[in-house]
Amino acid sequence: MPHYKSGPGYTILNSFYFSALCSLVNELERENIPYLFVGGAAFQLRTADILGGQGVADIKGMGLEALLRLTGDIDLDTQSDFGQMTYFFNMLTHQSPFNAELRGEKLVKLTKKKANPKNEDDVLFVNFSMGPDDFKGLSDHHEVRMRTAEDVFVRKGNERLQAKVPTLAYCLATKLMRMEEKDKVDVYF
């Protein structure tokens, strides 16, 4: 999956980033698109789910700042096609507080509708895949990874998020196969 990084980096403690995750999930569910978050977002959500008692505790006061690595984007794995994802991002623009601008075959730029275009904190890129051919290393496992995805529950203030992420085994396997510096941080936190 190609990657493009946004501005300074985010954690789920950032309101813009958390709101983007919530909006993506709401629209994915509405459009009935099988999905899961992967990469840094998946690790952050899984960590918050475990330490926050599956959404019982508010993540704002838990001291997660020391545990969550900044991520520059949202990596989204889907079972879809390009037409379905184009429609999905058009509907996201229509039904959420975000503008979604297609920037490539598998890259979308999200901005707040009332954002300052020069403020990098108001820009987030979503790298999305549409099937097993978009993955290196674990492409043979795409169907199983999608089928065995687990729900995580995270609460931030009044916002509650229920999202799908790979099993912990697949999260770890992906990170161990890549072993970039950021992957080591995720695995060894």
Side-chain angles (χ1 to χ4, degrees):
M1 179 185 310
H3 283 77
Y4 190 88
K5 299 298 179 198
S6 308
Y10 301 96
T11 71
I12 56 174
L13 297 170
N14 175 279
S15 295
F16 173 63
Y17 191 80
F18 193 78
S19 180
L21 290 168
C22 291
S23 292
L24 286 166
V25 168
N26 289 340
E27 193 58 34
L28 287 160
E29 298 283 339
R30 186 179 354 268
E31 296 299 326
N32 202 25
I33 297 174
Y35 79 94
L36 54 99
F37 291 109
V38 295
F43 263 82
Q44 289 186 28
L45 291 168
R46 184 162 287 289
T47 300
D49 176 68
I50 293 167
L51 298 178
Q54 295 185 319
V56 173
D58 186 342
I59 63 170
K60 285 195 300 189
M62 292 178 48
L64 289 176
E65 297 84 357
L67 299 177
L68 302 178
R69 172 187 59 80
L70 293 176
T71 186
D73 58 12
I74 294 175
D75 297 318
L76 178 65
D77 185 9
T78 69
Q79 285 183 320
S80 61
D81 60 41
F82 188 71
Q84 188 176 23
M85 291 308 291
T86 300
Y87 179 80
F88 163 76
F89 284 112
N90 286 335
M91 293 307 295
L92 183 73
T93 295
H94 180 69
Q95 305 208 28
S96 79
F98 297 95
N99 288 316
E101 177 185 340
L102 198 59
R103 285 293 186 96
E105 187 179 338
K106 297 171 187 155
L107 178 68
V108 169
K109 178 182 177 182
L110 286 185
T111 55
K112 292 181 192 175
K113 285 186 177 166
K114 296 180 180 179
N116 175 352
K118 295 179 182 176
N119 184 354
E120 285 187 350
D121 292 340
D122 294 340
V123 176
L124 178 62
F125 286 90
V126 178
N127 298 291
F128 64 94
S129 72
M130 297 173 281
D133 295 336
D134 293 338
F135 284 90
K136 300 176 209 158
L138 290 177
S139 59
D140 294 345
H141 295 262
H142 184 263
E143 301 298 323
V144 173
R145 208 167 65 149
M146 294 296 288
R147 190 177 62 251
T148 61
E150 298 175 337
D151 287 324
V152 292
F153 302 87
V154 179
R155 181 168 69 89
K156 183 175 182 287
N158 292 330
E159 285 188 284
R160 293 182 182 273
L161 174 63
Q162 178 179 349
K164 297 195 178 306
V165 299
T167 62
L168 185 56
Y170 273 112
C171 282
L172 290 172
T174 302
K175 294 293 182 177
L176 291 172
M177 286 177 62
R178 295 177 56 132
M179 285 312 277
E180 294 175 19
E181 196 57 38
K182 65 181 186 167
D183 301 314
K184 293 175 187 175
V185 171
D186 287 340
V187 170
Y188 296 117
F189 87 90

